[in-house]
Amino acid sequence: MSHFSCIWACKQITKAILRGSRSRYRSTFQKRVSLYFTRCYQPPRSVGFSSCLTESATQKLEDVYKYWSNKFLSHNIGEADVSANYIVAHVLGHKTIYNLDAHTLLNQTQVDKINELCHLRLTGMPVQYVLGEWDFLDLTLTMRPPVLIPRPETEELALLCIETLLNDIEIERPTVLEIGCGSGALSLSLLKKCPKLQVVAVDISPTACSLTQENARSLGLMDRICVIQGDFTSDKVQLELSRLSAFPLIVSNPPYLTTDELTGLQSEIKCFEDPTALDGGLDGLDIIKEIILKAPDLLMTNGHLWMEVSHQQPPLIAKLVQDSHNDICLIEVVKDLFGKDRICHFQKKETGKRK
Amino acid sequence: MQCFKCSSIFPWPSTISDLNSIYRKIYLKSLRISPLCCYRLLTIQSDLNNYINEIPGKSRNSIVYCMRKKSTNFYYGLPIWRPFANPTYSASLLPSFVQGLITADSRKTHTSTKFTIENPIYVSFLKSLVEEYNAAINANVDYVADADKRQRFNFLKLVTQSIQELEKKQGEVLELQSMMAEEDKEMKLLVDKEIIQLKKEVQIIEKELIDILVGEDSADNKDIVMEICAGVGGQEAMLFCAELFLMYRNYAHFKGWTVTGLSIEENEIGGTRKAVIEINGESVFKHLKYEAGVHRVQRVPKTEKAGRIHTSTVTVSVLPQPSEVDIDIQPNELRIETFRCSGPGGQHVNKTDSAVRIIHLPTGTVSECRQERSQIKNKETAMKNLKIKLYQAILEEEDKKRQATRKLQIGSKGRSEKIRTYNFQQDRITDHRSKEDFSNLPDFMLGGQGLDDLVLSLHQFEKLQLLESMLDSYTTEISRTKTTKGS
């Protein structure tokens, strides 16, 4: 009500002044205005707040949902209806609103919470950060800016790794290395599916490392994961890793965008997600190159390396592997759910080419 | 406590002496008790023993209190623990004098003289199968590649083994019968005994042979989804629907199955519009497949004021749950639609819309899911739904084929066909397929032994029907070959 009543009060005052200074009127209006400022005034919280006049007036789920999806649409927020859907459902303790009755009545605390989250979304923050959590396969993981939000393609990578672990690796207690763990999605989903597995996760960002640990703790997987904070390419981390025994499997979702591509991204990615988790250098292959070079020393014979890459990169990577002349070779490129070449599968061969 | 079989009511036992008095009552009146009742008694007995053993100094009153606290509902709600579902096992645990009084083994079994070695047509049919087997051995077909032929070969092998055993036993019988000519009285007595023994064995093998010939339905061992819907008859149909629903739930308990995934639409006066349940357990489909169809009820409804008899219907459908193995979908037969299709994907974009739609191109079946936040989860659910849809279509097709070949009178599960009538006024249940009548309706509606007997009789009926159709097709073939040879 704030701004509207403010304007109304001002109009009344000017009218009264114009009409002549009849003390009766003046005193009441002055009282009203001063009351307004002491009781009702709140500083505008975020963009577009002033027009949210009716936001807490309706209490029905359907109306709240429609109100916010229209609002997102008018503010050019991507996926307007879906965003509103997730936020409303999240506040009511569900994943999506499809299981809820559209006529459910919301109480004031729920409406307040929805409004609070929706205001965050209005700033362009990705839904995953707004909710503070997102689903990855069977897991629900905490999401916090600026740690990279796992994409659906990465879920497929996790499934492929699980398949390899269950079918092709015959070690009783395997240890897997993840390079660039981010929120820990890949490591934790592997740990969840394979009860005897242990994971060593490396990430350069301290916030990512702490988020991985937090997620591991909340899922009860703390005792089987070891998080190392540091640059994978640095000698220090390499030394630490080489002290461990050779890994049967390495998995990574490295940054693979070219620096040029970074500028053309959605604003919600550009403004909120950590660029170091996305930027793969001029050709997008900086980190991928490092991994391919270092992997043979870390893998055991016949060990596997699974990596998510950009859809145009597989031919370049194939050439890279050939040129590097080490024991590793690219054995398959798997298409993702959307039909793009996305996931590369490498294996370390028995006979070294180097010799 | 009430027994399903004899409908007699026992006081709930709170002490060992109470229990013994119940046993005595059963013994003195020679009551035939149901396996369920037997199981309840056993549970109570073991509980009592536990209480006594746990606290030796416990007074009689405190034990009685403990038993009362475990209210009657607890013992009623007990599902049958598997070994107890086997009546002979549970009977062996009861006091010896009660053992003989359990009714489960006194079930009706259908016997038909048509499928014994006395019937020459049947014998020649069996011989033709043996010949086919011998031919198959010499034919040298690659059975690894051809699954159909392999199946047929395994079937023939089993049949032939059984037939050979049968012939052996029959030969022995004949031999002994020829020995009967000798006129030694003692000898004759012995031989007589042996012949009777052998004939019994022959009968057992004959029964086994029937089972082998008929074979098992591939869906028999599957879990099912059962849907019970009120049909014609308004409120009365809904009331009966609720009763049927209860009956199947009891039956599931009786068989030791688990009932889950309930969704029930109830009306104001206690009826049920529609109930959907999932039943899991051992050979559920085998037992409940005959329940699918229209159930007709004739009685004076509670809602009727003038005392007229109404006829209402309830429809039941039984769908087996598909397992992963059954349906083989090629990835190139699918089109998967998502909201992430265009653009480079991967780290380039952050989209949250996770809805997935899968289209099976050869059949045009569409399945959609948007319930989950994870796209892969949505895809998995959509795939599962698609499989269920395709499986239903396959099942219907198979069913049609089966109808044509087996000439079964069970019907096409269409809504126009009634399969069973419950007549409350005459206390009679009529199954329209096997044309058999059962009485004691209130007992039947409890879903215990009564329903089990009916299911068994239907199972037997279907077996015989199938065998008859096999024999029919064999005789027509023979007559055809004869006529062609003759011309």
mmCIF file of all heavy atoms in Angstrom, chain A residues 79 86 96 98-99 128 133 135 138 151 153 155 253-254 256 261 266 337-338 340 342, chain B residues 338 340 343-344 346-350 352-354 370-371 373-377 379:
data_model
loop_
_atom_site.group_PDB
_atom_site.id
_atom_site.type_symbol
_atom_site.label_atom_id
_atom_site.label_comp_id
_atom_site.label_asym_id
_atom_site.label_seq_id
_atom_site.Cartn_x
_atom_site.Cartn_y
_atom_site.Cartn_z
ATOM 1 N N GLU A 79 12.416 -18.336 -18.259
ATOM 2 C CA GLU A 79 11.576 -19.447 -17.772
ATOM 3 C C GLU A 79 10.648 -18.981 -16.644
ATOM 4 O O GLU A 79 10.648 -19.541 -15.543
ATOM 5 C CB GLU A 79 12.446 -20.592 -17.267
ATOM 6 C CG GLU A 79 13.337 -21.165 -18.336
ATOM 7 C CD GLU A 79 14.124 -22.340 -17.801
ATOM 8 O OE1 GLU A 79 14.944 -22.149 -16.905
ATOM 9 O OE2 GLU A 79 13.876 -23.459 -18.279
ATOM 10 N N TYR A 86 8.752 -23.670 -9.312
ATOM 11 C CA TYR A 86 9.717 -24.263 -8.385
ATOM 12 C C TYR A 86 9.714 -23.548 -7.041
ATOM 13 O O TYR A 86 9.804 -24.173 -5.993
ATOM 14 C CB TYR A 86 11.126 -24.210 -8.980
ATOM 15 C CG TYR A 86 11.355 -25.201 -10.088
ATOM 16 C CD1 TYR A 86 11.897 -24.809 -11.304
ATOM 17 C CD2 TYR A 86 11.030 -26.548 -9.918
ATOM 18 C CE1 TYR A 86 12.113 -25.716 -12.322
ATOM 19 C CE2 TYR A 86 11.240 -27.458 -10.937
ATOM 20 C CZ TYR A 86 11.783 -27.040 -12.139
ATOM 21 O OH TYR A 86 11.985 -27.937 -13.145
ATOM 22 N N THR A 96 7.668 -29.929 -7.374
ATOM 23 C CA THR A 96 6.943 -29.126 -8.361
ATOM 24 C C THR A 96 5.501 -29.003 -7.875
ATOM 25 O O THR A 96 5.093 -29.761 -6.995
ATOM 26 C CB THR A 96 6.939 -29.817 -9.746
ATOM 27 O OG1 THR A 96 6.524 -31.165 -9.570
ATOM 28 C CG2 THR A 96 8.291 -29.768 -10.392
ATOM 29 N N TYR A 98 2.867 -29.738 -9.455
ATOM 30 C CA TYR A 98 1.909 -30.603 -10.151
ATOM 31 C C TYR A 98 1.224 -31.584 -9.211
ATOM 32 O O TYR A 98 0.162 -32.098 -9.489
ATOM 33 C CB TYR A 98 2.594 -31.349 -11.296
ATOM 34 C CG TYR A 98 3.211 -30.413 -12.282
ATOM 35 C CD1 TYR A 98 4.581 -30.405 -12.505
ATOM 36 C CD2 TYR A 98 2.414 -29.508 -12.980
ATOM 37 C CE1 TYR A 98 5.146 -29.519 -13.396
ATOM 38 C CE2 TYR A 98 2.975 -28.619 -13.869
ATOM 39 C CZ TYR A 98 4.343 -28.627 -14.073
ATOM 40 O OH TYR A 98 4.893 -27.745 -14.955
ATOM 41 N N ASN A 99 1.878 -31.863 -8.073
ATOM 42 C CA ASN A 99 1.251 -32.781 -7.122
ATOM 43 C C ASN A 99 0.352 -32.055 -6.132
ATOM 44 O O ASN A 99 -0.246 -32.676 -5.274
ATOM 45 C CB ASN A 99 2.326 -33.541 -6.349
ATOM 46 C CG ASN A 99 3.024 -34.540 -7.229
ATOM 47 O OD1 ASN A 99 2.433 -35.030 -8.193
ATOM 48 N ND2 ASN A 99 4.267 -34.821 -6.934
ATOM 49 N N GLN A 128 18.229 -22.199 -8.918
ATOM 50 C CA GLN A 128 18.921 -23.140 -8.037
ATOM 51 C C GLN A 128 19.523 -22.421 -6.833
ATOM 52 O O GLN A 128 19.483 -22.926 -5.711
ATOM 53 C CB GLN A 128 20.041 -23.857 -8.801
ATOM 54 C CG GLN A 128 19.538 -24.787 -9.890
ATOM 55 C CD GLN A 128 19.506 -24.133 -11.262
ATOM 56 O OE1 GLN A 128 19.309 -22.920 -11.373
ATOM 57 N NE2 GLN A 128 19.684 -24.920 -12.298
ATOM 58 N N GLU A 133 19.033 -25.089 -3.134
ATOM 59 C CA GLU A 133 19.227 -26.531 -3.326
ATOM 60 C C GLU A 133 18.777 -26.914 -4.723
ATOM 61 O O GLU A 133 18.005 -26.185 -5.363
ATOM 62 C CB GLU A 133 18.417 -27.316 -2.292
ATOM 63 C CG GLU A 133 16.919 -27.088 -2.405
ATOM 64 C CD GLU A 133 16.100 -28.042 -1.565
ATOM 65 O OE1 GLU A 133 16.477 -28.244 -0.409
ATOM 66 O OE2 GLU A 133 15.097 -28.562 -2.072
ATOM 67 N N ASP A 135 18.270 -30.736 -7.375
ATOM 68 C CA ASP A 135 18.361 -32.190 -7.436
ATOM 69 C C ASP A 135 19.413 -32.626 -8.446
ATOM 70 O O ASP A 135 19.526 -32.055 -9.528
ATOM 71 C CB ASP A 135 17.013 -32.790 -7.846
ATOM 72 C CG ASP A 135 16.018 -32.726 -6.716
ATOM 73 O OD1 ASP A 135 16.410 -32.220 -5.652
ATOM 74 O OD2 ASP A 135 14.876 -33.150 -6.904
ATOM 75 N N ASP A 138 19.411 -38.899 -7.628
ATOM 76 C CA ASP A 138 18.559 -39.116 -6.450
ATOM 77 C C ASP A 138 18.844 -38.128 -5.331
ATOM 78 O O ASP A 138 18.141 -38.111 -4.332
ATOM 79 C CB ASP A 138 18.789 -40.533 -5.909
ATOM 80 C CG ASP A 138 18.430 -41.573 -6.934
ATOM 81 O OD1 ASP A 138 17.363 -41.417 -7.545
ATOM 82 O OD2 ASP A 138 19.198 -42.510 -7.138
ATOM 83 N N ARG A 151 24.674 -29.410 -14.387
ATOM 84 C CA ARG A 151 23.714 -29.446 -15.498
ATOM 85 C C ARG A 151 23.202 -30.874 -15.717
ATOM 86 O O ARG A 151 23.856 -31.829 -15.302
ATOM 87 C CB ARG A 151 24.398 -28.956 -16.785
ATOM 88 C CG ARG A 151 25.193 -27.674 -16.647
ATOM 89 C CD ARG A 151 24.283 -26.470 -16.519
ATOM 90 N NE ARG A 151 24.972 -25.228 -16.848
ATOM 91 C CZ ARG A 151 25.410 -24.350 -15.983
ATOM 92 N NH1 ARG A 151 25.277 -24.567 -14.684
ATOM 93 N NH2 ARG A 151 26.007 -23.230 -16.378
ATOM 94 N N GLU A 153 23.367 -32.681 -18.250
ATOM 95 C CA GLU A 153 24.352 -33.507 -18.980
ATOM 96 C C GLU A 153 25.295 -34.205 -18.005
ATOM 97 O O GLU A 153 25.729 -35.334 -18.241
ATOM 98 C CB GLU A 153 25.178 -32.637 -19.940
ATOM 99 C CG GLU A 153 24.438 -32.167 -21.168
ATOM 100 C CD GLU A 153 23.686 -30.868 -20.926
ATOM 101 O OE1 GLU A 153 23.535 -30.469 -19.748
ATOM 102 O OE2 GLU A 153 23.251 -30.254 -21.921
ATOM 103 N N GLU A 155 24.535 -35.279 -15.113
ATOM 104 C CA GLU A 155 23.844 -36.443 -14.547
ATOM 105 C C GLU A 155 24.122 -37.681 -15.398
ATOM 106 O O GLU A 155 24.335 -38.772 -14.881
ATOM 107 C CB GLU A 155 22.335 -36.185 -14.496
ATOM 108 C CG GLU A 155 21.932 -35.161 -13.482
ATOM 109 C CD GLU A 155 20.419 -34.959 -13.437
ATOM 110 O OE1 GLU A 155 19.828 -34.526 -14.443
ATOM 111 O OE2 GLU A 155 19.832 -35.240 -12.402
ATOM 112 N N ASN A 253 34.333 -32.773 -14.824
ATOM 113 C CA ASN A 253 33.530 -31.857 -15.617
ATOM 114 C C ASN A 253 34.309 -30.535 -15.607
ATOM 115 O O ASN A 253 34.006 -29.646 -14.840
ATOM 116 C CB ASN A 253 32.150 -31.711 -14.982
ATOM 117 C CG ASN A 253 31.293 -30.700 -15.708
ATOM 118 O OD1 ASN A 253 31.571 -30.327 -16.849
ATOM 119 N ND2 ASN A 253 30.258 -30.217 -15.037
ATOM 120 N N PRO A 254 35.350 -30.470 -16.453
ATOM 121 C CA PRO A 254 36.254 -29.320 -16.375
ATOM 122 C C PRO A 254 35.633 -28.100 -17.030
ATOM 123 O O PRO A 254 34.664 -28.230 -17.777
ATOM 124 C CB PRO A 254 37.459 -29.796 -17.176
ATOM 125 C CG PRO A 254 36.871 -30.703 -18.199
ATOM 126 C CD PRO A 254 35.695 -31.367 -17.562
ATOM 127 N N TYR A 256 35.053 -25.807 -19.888
ATOM 128 C CA TYR A 256 35.369 -26.060 -21.299
ATOM 129 C C TYR A 256 34.883 -24.965 -22.235
ATOM 130 O O TYR A 256 34.869 -25.133 -23.442
ATOM 131 C CB TYR A 256 34.885 -27.450 -21.734
ATOM 132 C CG TYR A 256 33.430 -27.766 -21.465
ATOM 133 C CD1 TYR A 256 32.412 -27.146 -22.172
ATOM 134 C CD2 TYR A 256 33.076 -28.740 -20.536
ATOM 135 C CE1 TYR A 256 31.086 -27.462 -21.943
ATOM 136 C CE2 TYR A 256 31.755 -29.070 -20.296
ATOM 137 C CZ TYR A 256 30.766 -28.426 -20.997
ATOM 138 O OH TYR A 256 29.460 -28.747 -20.774
ATOM 139 N N GLU A 261 33.346 -17.184 -25.634
ATOM 140 C CA GLU A 261 31.973 -17.625 -25.362
ATOM 141 C C GLU A 261 31.449 -17.062 -24.054
ATOM 142 O O GLU A 261 30.252 -16.853 -23.893
ATOM 143 C CB GLU A 261 31.908 -19.162 -25.311
ATOM 144 C CG GLU A 261 31.869 -19.809 -26.675
ATOM 145 C CD GLU A 261 32.007 -21.326 -26.601
ATOM 146 O OE1 GLU A 261 32.663 -21.836 -25.660
ATOM 147 O OE2 GLU A 261 31.469 -21.993 -27.472
ATOM 148 N N GLN A 266 24.171 -16.410 -20.835
ATOM 149 C CA GLN A 266 23.008 -15.857 -20.131
ATOM 150 C C GLN A 266 23.518 -14.999 -18.974
ATOM 151 O O GLN A 266 24.511 -15.362 -18.333
ATOM 152 C CB GLN A 266 22.202 -16.998 -19.496
ATOM 153 C CG GLN A 266 21.280 -17.745 -20.407
ATOM 154 C CD GLN A 266 20.766 -18.981 -19.675
ATOM 155 O OE1 GLN A 266 21.425 -19.999 -19.642
ATOM 156 N NE2 GLN A 266 19.590 -18.889 -19.083
ATOM 157 N N LEU A 337 21.553 -36.473 -23.758
ATOM 158 C CA LEU A 337 20.106 -36.601 -23.924
ATOM 159 C C LEU A 337 19.600 -35.769 -25.095
ATOM 160 O O LEU A 337 18.584 -36.063 -25.704
ATOM 161 C CB LEU A 337 19.456 -36.138 -22.614
ATOM 162 C CG LEU A 337 17.962 -36.274 -22.416
ATOM 163 C CD1 LEU A 337 17.575 -37.733 -22.476
ATOM 164 C CD2 LEU A 337 17.553 -35.685 -21.091
ATOM 165 N N PHE A 338 20.330 -34.698 -25.416
ATOM 166 C CA PHE A 338 19.865 -33.765 -26.444
ATOM 167 C C PHE A 338 20.550 -34.021 -27.781
ATOM 168 O O PHE A 338 20.478 -33.210 -28.689
ATOM 169 C CB PHE A 338 20.115 -32.340 -25.956
ATOM 170 C CG PHE A 338 19.717 -32.160 -24.526
ATOM 171 C CD1 PHE A 338 20.667 -32.109 -23.516
ATOM 172 C CD2 PHE A 338 18.377 -32.114 -24.171
ATOM 173 C CE1 PHE A 338 20.288 -31.985 -22.196
ATOM 174 C CE2 PHE A 338 17.996 -31.998 -22.848
ATOM 175 C CZ PHE A 338 18.951 -31.927 -21.855
ATOM 176 N N LYS A 340 23.835 -34.227 -28.484
ATOM 177 C CA LYS A 340 25.112 -33.548 -28.762
ATOM 178 C C LYS A 340 26.258 -34.434 -28.267
ATOM 179 O O LYS A 340 26.141 -35.093 -27.232
ATOM 180 C CB LYS A 340 25.147 -32.213 -28.013
ATOM 181 C CG LYS A 340 24.035 -31.276 -28.442
ATOM 182 C CD LYS A 340 24.612 -30.020 -29.010
ATOM 183 C CE LYS A 340 23.703 -29.301 -29.966
ATOM 184 N NZ LYS A 340 22.323 -29.161 -29.556
ATOM 185 N N ARG A 342 28.978 -35.177 -26.166
ATOM 186 C CA ARG A 342 29.180 -34.487 -24.893
ATOM 187 C C ARG A 342 30.202 -35.163 -23.992
ATOM 188 O O ARG A 342 31.009 -34.497 -23.371
ATOM 189 C CB ARG A 342 27.820 -34.419 -24.148
ATOM 190 C CG ARG A 342 27.832 -33.744 -22.814
ATOM 191 C CD ARG A 342 28.097 -32.280 -22.913
ATOM 192 N NE ARG A 342 27.109 -31.594 -23.728
ATOM 193 C CZ ARG A 342 27.273 -30.355 -24.192
ATOM 194 N NH1 ARG A 342 28.365 -29.686 -23.928
ATOM 195 N NH2 ARG A 342 26.340 -29.805 -24.941
ATOM 196 N N THR B 338 12.709 -32.280 -25.090
ATOM 197 C CA THR B 338 12.953 -31.545 -23.848
ATOM 198 C C THR B 338 12.928 -30.061 -24.162
ATOM 199 O O THR B 338 12.839 -29.670 -25.320
ATOM 200 C CB THR B 338 14.326 -31.863 -23.257
ATOM 201 O OG1 THR B 338 15.301 -31.544 -24.240
ATOM 202 C CG2 THR B 338 14.450 -33.309 -22.868
ATOM 203 N N ARG B 340 15.441 -28.225 -23.633
ATOM 204 C CA ARG B 340 16.834 -27.827 -23.675
ATOM 205 C C ARG B 340 17.437 -28.164 -25.025
ATOM 206 O O ARG B 340 18.655 -28.040 -25.205
ATOM 207 C CB ARG B 340 17.578 -28.614 -22.598
ATOM 208 C CG ARG B 340 18.447 -27.777 -21.709
ATOM 209 C CD ARG B 340 19.075 -28.680 -20.678
ATOM 210 N NE ARG B 340 20.524 -28.568 -20.695
ATOM 211 C CZ ARG B 340 21.191 -27.753 -19.900
ATOM 212 N NH1 ARG B 340 20.577 -26.984 -19.078
ATOM 213 N NH2 ARG B 340 22.506 -27.721 -19.955
ATOM 214 N N GLY B 343 20.459 -24.890 -29.004
ATOM 215 C CA GLY B 343 21.607 -24.260 -28.361
ATOM 216 C C GLY B 343 22.694 -25.255 -28.035
ATOM 217 O O GLY B 343 22.518 -26.449 -28.209
ATOM 218 N N PRO B 344 23.832 -24.736 -27.568
ATOM 219 C CA PRO B 344 24.984 -25.602 -27.361
ATOM 220 C C PRO B 344 24.881 -26.513 -26.139
ATOM 221 O O PRO B 344 25.547 -27.525 -26.062
ATOM 222 C CB PRO B 344 26.134 -24.610 -27.192
ATOM 223 C CG PRO B 344 25.498 -23.335 -26.768
ATOM 224 C CD PRO B 344 24.121 -23.325 -27.310
ATOM 225 N N GLY B 346 25.137 -27.974 -22.157
ATOM 226 C CA GLY B 346 26.264 -28.081 -21.232
ATOM 227 C C GLY B 346 26.416 -26.848 -20.367
ATOM 228 O O GLY B 346 25.439 -26.263 -19.922
ATOM 229 N N GLN B 347 27.669 -26.441 -20.167
ATOM 230 C CA GLN B 347 27.928 -25.303 -19.299
ATOM 231 C C GLN B 347 27.453 -23.978 -19.911
ATOM 232 O O GLN B 347 27.390 -22.964 -19.236
ATOM 233 C CB GLN B 347 29.420 -25.212 -18.976
ATOM 234 C CG GLN B 347 29.882 -26.336 -18.058
ATOM 235 C CD GLN B 347 31.386 -26.403 -17.925
ATOM 236 O OE1 GLN B 347 32.099 -25.590 -18.493
ATOM 237 N NE2 GLN B 347 31.862 -27.381 -17.174
ATOM 238 N N HIS B 348 27.122 -24.001 -21.216
ATOM 239 C CA HIS B 348 26.709 -22.761 -21.881
ATOM 240 C C HIS B 348 25.403 -22.209 -21.351
ATOM 241 O O HIS B 348 25.155 -21.029 -21.437
ATOM 242 C CB HIS B 348 26.547 -22.991 -23.394
ATOM 243 C CG HIS B 348 27.824 -23.269 -24.094
ATOM 244 N ND1 HIS B 348 28.363 -24.526 -24.135
ATOM 245 C CD2 HIS B 348 28.671 -22.462 -24.772
ATOM 246 C CE1 HIS B 348 29.498 -24.489 -24.828
ATOM 247 N NE2 HIS B 348 29.705 -23.251 -25.220
ATOM 248 N N VAL B 349 24.530 -23.092 -20.889
ATOM 249 C CA VAL B 349 23.208 -22.617 -20.490
ATOM 250 C C VAL B 349 22.849 -23.114 -19.087
ATOM 251 O O VAL B 349 23.362 -24.107 -18.613
ATOM 252 C CB VAL B 349 22.102 -23.093 -21.461
ATOM 253 C CG1 VAL B 349 22.142 -22.325 -22.741
ATOM 254 C CG2 VAL B 349 22.193 -24.575 -21.693
ATOM 255 N N ASN B 350 21.939 -22.381 -18.472
ATOM 256 C CA ASN B 350 21.371 -22.849 -17.216
ATOM 257 C C ASN B 350 19.859 -22.797 -17.355
ATOM 258 O O ASN B 350 19.248 -21.746 -17.270
ATOM 259 C CB ASN B 350 21.833 -21.973 -16.056
ATOM 260 C CG ASN B 350 21.234 -22.428 -14.753
ATOM 261 O OD1 ASN B 350 20.961 -23.617 -14.584
ATOM 262 N ND2 ASN B 350 21.003 -21.503 -13.848
ATOM 263 N N THR B 352 16.165 -24.557 -16.095
ATOM 264 C CA THR B 352 15.639 -25.355 -14.999
ATOM 265 C C THR B 352 14.431 -26.190 -15.409
ATOM 266 O O THR B 352 14.008 -27.059 -14.677
ATOM 267 C CB THR B 352 15.224 -24.458 -13.827
ATOM 268 O OG1 THR B 352 14.396 -23.424 -14.325
ATOM 269 C CG2 THR B 352 16.424 -23.878 -13.145
ATOM 270 N N ASP B 353 13.878 -25.889 -16.582
ATOM 271 C CA ASP B 353 12.695 -26.648 -16.994
ATOM 272 C C ASP B 353 13.109 -28.073 -17.304
ATOM 273 O O ASP B 353 13.855 -28.323 -18.235
ATOM 274 C CB ASP B 353 12.060 -25.995 -18.226
ATOM 275 C CG ASP B 353 10.647 -26.486 -18.406
ATOM 276 O OD1 ASP B 353 10.354 -27.597 -17.924
ATOM 277 O OD2 ASP B 353 9.838 -25.772 -19.020
ATOM 278 N N SER B 354 12.635 -29.025 -16.504
ATOM 279 C CA SER B 354 13.142 -30.383 -16.633
ATOM 280 C C SER B 354 12.109 -31.342 -17.218
ATOM 281 O O SER B 354 12.275 -32.547 -17.150
ATOM 282 C CB SER B 354 13.601 -30.880 -15.262
ATOM 283 O OG SER B 354 12.551 -30.755 -14.340
ATOM 284 N N ARG B 370 6.943 -34.400 -15.708
ATOM 285 C CA ARG B 370 7.525 -33.122 -15.304
ATOM 286 C C ARG B 370 7.466 -32.957 -13.795
ATOM 287 O O ARG B 370 7.491 -31.861 -13.273
ATOM 288 C CB ARG B 370 6.776 -31.982 -15.990
ATOM 289 C CG ARG B 370 5.273 -32.118 -15.833
ATOM 290 C CD ARG B 370 4.553 -31.011 -16.537
ATOM 291 N NE ARG B 370 3.157 -31.050 -16.127
ATOM 292 C CZ ARG B 370 2.258 -30.183 -16.493
ATOM 293 N NH1 ARG B 370 2.578 -29.196 -17.291
ATOM 294 N NH2 ARG B 370 1.013 -30.275 -16.079
ATOM 295 N N GLN B 371 7.373 -34.080 -13.082
ATOM 296 C CA GLN B 371 7.188 -34.017 -11.633
ATOM 297 C C GLN B 371 8.474 -33.702 -10.888
ATOM 298 O O GLN B 371 8.443 -33.175 -9.792
ATOM 299 C CB GLN B 371 6.669 -35.355 -11.106
ATOM 300 C CG GLN B 371 5.503 -35.910 -11.855
ATOM 301 C CD GLN B 371 4.196 -35.323 -11.401
ATOM 302 O OE1 GLN B 371 4.177 -34.505 -10.503
ATOM 303 N NE2 GLN B 371 3.120 -35.701 -12.034
ATOM 304 N N ARG B 373 12.665 -32.400 -10.366
ATOM 305 C CA ARG B 373 13.550 -31.306 -10.767
ATOM 306 C C ARG B 373 14.713 -31.822 -11.598
ATOM 307 O O ARG B 373 15.331 -31.075 -12.337
ATOM 308 C CB ARG B 373 14.073 -30.599 -9.521
ATOM 309 C CG ARG B 373 12.987 -29.861 -8.775
ATOM 310 C CD ARG B 373 13.561 -28.870 -7.811
ATOM 311 N NE ARG B 373 14.317 -29.517 -6.749
ATOM 312 C CZ ARG B 373 14.316 -29.102 -5.479
ATOM 313 N NH1 ARG B 373 13.589 -28.054 -5.135
ATOM 314 N NH2 ARG B 373 15.032 -29.695 -4.576
ATOM 315 N N SER B 374 15.036 -33.104 -11.431
ATOM 316 C CA SER B 374 16.143 -33.661 -12.203
ATOM 317 C C SER B 374 15.616 -34.194 -13.532
ATOM 318 O O SER B 374 14.673 -34.968 -13.573
ATOM 319 C CB SER B 374 16.799 -34.786 -11.407
ATOM 320 O OG SER B 374 17.402 -35.700 -12.272
ATOM 321 N N GLN B 375 16.270 -33.735 -14.623
ATOM 322 C CA GLN B 375 15.799 -34.129 -15.946
ATOM 323 C C GLN B 375 15.925 -35.632 -16.170
ATOM 324 O O GLN B 375 15.061 -36.262 -16.769
ATOM 325 C CB GLN B 375 16.608 -33.378 -16.999
ATOM 326 C CG GLN B 375 15.964 -33.395 -18.357
ATOM 327 C CD GLN B 375 16.126 -32.072 -19.050
ATOM 328 O OE1 GLN B 375 17.118 -31.381 -18.878
ATOM 329 N NE2 GLN B 375 15.162 -31.695 -19.845
ATOM 330 N N ILE B 376 17.014 -36.211 -15.670
ATOM 331 C CA ILE B 376 17.229 -37.649 -15.860
ATOM 332 C C ILE B 376 16.147 -38.443 -15.127
ATOM 333 O O ILE B 376 15.620 -39.424 -15.633
ATOM 334 C CB ILE B 376 18.621 -38.043 -15.328
ATOM 335 C CG1 ILE B 376 19.707 -37.286 -16.088
ATOM 336 C CG2 ILE B 376 18.844 -39.532 -15.426
ATOM 337 C CD1 ILE B 376 19.924 -37.718 -17.493
ATOM 338 N N LYS B 377 15.810 -37.970 -13.926
ATOM 339 C CA LYS B 377 14.746 -38.644 -13.161
ATOM 340 C C LYS B 377 13.433 -38.588 -13.938
ATOM 341 O O LYS B 377 12.711 -39.568 -14.033
ATOM 342 C CB LYS B 377 14.569 -37.977 -11.804
ATOM 343 C CG LYS B 377 15.616 -38.347 -10.809
ATOM 344 C CD LYS B 377 15.316 -39.676 -10.161
ATOM 345 C CE LYS B 377 16.621 -40.445 -10.077
ATOM 346 N NZ LYS B 377 16.495 -41.841 -9.881
ATOM 347 N N LYS B 379 13.123 -38.335 -17.069
ATOM 348 C CA LYS B 379 13.228 -39.203 -18.240
ATOM 349 C C LYS B 379 12.979 -40.654 -17.823
ATOM 350 O O LYS B 379 12.269 -41.387 -18.509
ATOM 351 C CB LYS B 379 14.627 -39.071 -18.853
ATOM 352 C CG LYS B 379 14.763 -39.757 -20.188
ATOM 353 C CD LYS B 379 16.196 -39.730 -20.649
ATOM 354 C CE LYS B 379 16.479 -40.941 -21.501
ATOM 355 N NZ LYS B 379 17.895 -41.279 -21.561
#
